[in-house]
Amino acid sequence: MKKPVKVAITGAAGQIAYSLIFRVASGSMLGPDQPVILQLLDIPDAMEKLKGTVMEIEDCAFPLVAGIVSTADPMEAFDGTDYALLVGARPRGPGMERKDLLSANAAIFSVQGKALSEKASRDVRVLVVGNPANTNALIAASNAKKLDPRQFTAMVRLDHNRALSQLAAKTGAATTDIEKMIVWGNHSSTQYPDISHCTVKGKPAKSLVDQAWIEKEFIPTVQQRGAAIIKARGLSSAASAASAAVDHMRDWALGTNGKWVSMAVPSDGSYGIKPGVVYGYPCVCKNGQYEIVQGLDIDAFSRARMDATDAELREERAAIEDLLK
Ligand code: NAI
């Protein structure tokens, strides 16, 4: 058996974590031969509820769980952390403006960025799930002075998986028949799910569907899927979000074998997206590192949508600029 690695999960008493923790503990994320020490963080008011979750983890008698820490202190939760899944966030309350939401979350993610910088493994890989995920990742990275900003990513994998499932249903293929899906930009309704480079069983996806379907059905369905789930379930997506988080971290840690996945990562000028935001890009992962897929042709339709979601991210950035110092 390998030496255990430390996996921190924040928002550990919440609904995504209620699915995520058990997937991580069962080996779905890091493999069936990788023991884990779970480091579970939530706020003081949620400690009693978290105690219940911990009792259930114990009751699963998972062979891979080598220890469980539950705490309300980020410095304790991130001590030696190898993988940090930052799920906990402040939901939008009654009367809260978008700017208030950004500021409330910025406060949380600046504290957590500082704690990761002080306490986590120097190789820590961070995935931000809590919304607004891209901008929260930017804040955490900016506050983690002792870590490389490239260690901080945000989740657009749920959008990527939703896009795969919509295209598979439309073309009668399996999701595994589809390659080169991309979700560009923000995890929000401005995201751009792009099938321009996609193949389905090796054939260009654009030869199988018409432009009207792409514009009037595919893109809006993927962009609005989160809202559709809230309407149907009365709660936001949780198991699918947890599953996407597992996919994102597993691929980053264990590699994608040349396949493209969508990850929101610090922009570096690729595809004309200037540095300064955390932007969804097509990536390949190898040896524990991700790289943005380069050299793709971008047509005018894609360009306009990629710029629109970039503009939204820059507006979010402007609202919390003072916390980036
Ligand atoms: P939830 O409300 O069930 O749980 C959130 C948990 O975070 C609560 O237990 C809360 O006490 C905790 N929390 C709040 N502040 C915290 C802090 N400072 N430190 C540690 N824990 C803290 O919410 P749920 O459904 O689990 O969703 C979590 C987040 O994930 C939300 O922001 C949601 O919008 C986001 N989300 C992101 C998706 C994505 O694709 N990026 C998809 C679905 C949800």
Side-chain angles (χ1 to χ4, degrees):
M1 245 337 170
K2 294 179 182 165
K3 187 171 163 274
V5 295
K6 293 186 170 178
V7 180
I9 297 177
T10 76
Q15 56 151 0
I16 293 177
Y18 192 67
S19 178
L20 178 59
I21 293 169
F22 297 85
R23 298 279 307 277
V24 172
S26 69
S28 301
M29 187 170 90
L30 296 172
D33 58 349
Q34 178 57 68
V36 291
I37 294 171
L38 298 169
Q39 300 173 305
L40 307 177
L41 178 73
D42 212 298
I43 55 174
D45 281 354
M47 283 300 112
E48 192 59 27
K49 191 172 172 203
L50 182 54
K51 204 190 274 179
T53 304
V54 170
M55 285 159 72
E56 286 204 69
I57 304 166
E58 290 167 353
D59 291 351
C60 292
F62 285 117
L64 291 174
V65 174
I68 307 170
V69 175
S70 59
T71 177
D73 176 4
M75 297 294 261
E76 189 184 355
F78 297 140
D79 187 18
T81 298
D82 300 290
Y83 300 92
L85 297 114
L86 308 186
V87 180
R90 177 82 188 276
R92 191 186 289 239
M96 225 174 161
E97 297 292 334
R98 188 177 152 81
K99 192 167 174 12
D100 301 332
L101 183 74
L102 279 159
S103 307
N105 279 295
I108 294 173
F109 285 84
S110 54
V111 168
Q112 294 187 358
K114 288 190 177 85
L116 283 160
S117 187
E118 288 309 315
K119 303 296 279 188
S121 154
R122 296 305 84 187
D123 291 331
V124 66
R125 290 179 178 76
V126 183
L127 167 62
V128 177
V129 175
N131 280 319
N134 301 51
T135 297
N136 288 341
L138 177 72
I139 292 162
S142 308
N143 280 276
K145 302 286 181 219
K146 298 181 187 168
L147 297 171
D148 182 340
R150 283 177 45 86
Q151 292 172 259
F152 289 78
T153 65
M155 190 163 95
V156 288
R157 185 60 176 266
L158 179 55
D159 310 298
H160 178 103
N161 289 348
R162 287 167 171 166
L164 287 177
S165 131
Q166 292 299 319
L167 183 60
K170 175 72 177 173
T171 56
T175 52
T176 47
D177 293 329
I178 302 173
E179 302 214 24
K180 303 187 174 172
M181 180 65 77
I182 307 174
V183 173
W184 300 99
N186 201 2
H187 169 69
S188 76
S189 57
T190 67
Q191 65 174 274
Y192 171 42
D194 177 10
I195 68 161
S196 319
H197 306 275
C198 261
T199 58
V200 182
K201 294 186 188 159
K203 286 198 197 125
K206 282 188 124 179
S207 68
L208 302 171
V209 298
D210 57 37
Q211 188 62 23
W213 178 78
I214 296 173
E215 286 181 38
K216 299 209 168 62
E217 289 191 45
F218 171 72
I219 294 174
T221 301
V222 177
Q223 288 174 332
Q224 302 299 333
R225 188 71 164 179
I229 286 168
I230 292 175
K231 191 160 173 254
R233 214 172 83 87
L235 287 168
S236 63
S237 38
S240 56
S243 195
V246 165
D247 288 346
H248 177 118
M249 268 309 194
R250 182 199 59 231
D251 286 347
W252 189 1
L254 306 180
T256 61
N257 292 319
K259 293 208 162 157
W260 300 7
V261 290
S262 303
M263 297 171 72
V265 304
S267 56
D268 62 357
S270 296
Y271 299 102
I273 307 300
K274 289 195 286 296
V277 294
V278 172
Y279 191 91
Y281 279 110
C283 292
V284 288
C285 305
K286 197 175 159 187
N287 300 329
Q289 305 295 330
Y290 63 79
E291 267 178 32
I292 298 171
V293 175
Q294 297 293 337
L296 302 175
D297 287 335
I298 305 296
D299 63 17
F301 180 84
S302 293
R303 185 76 259 162
R305 280 155 187 79
M306 288 163 66
D307 289 345
T309 191
D310 183 32
E312 182 186 51
L313 282 168
R314 299 210 185 252
E315 271 170 34
E316 289 185 10
R317 182 190 162 103
I320 48 77
E321 190 86 46
D322 49 330
L323 282 153
L324 296 177
K325 302 209 171 83

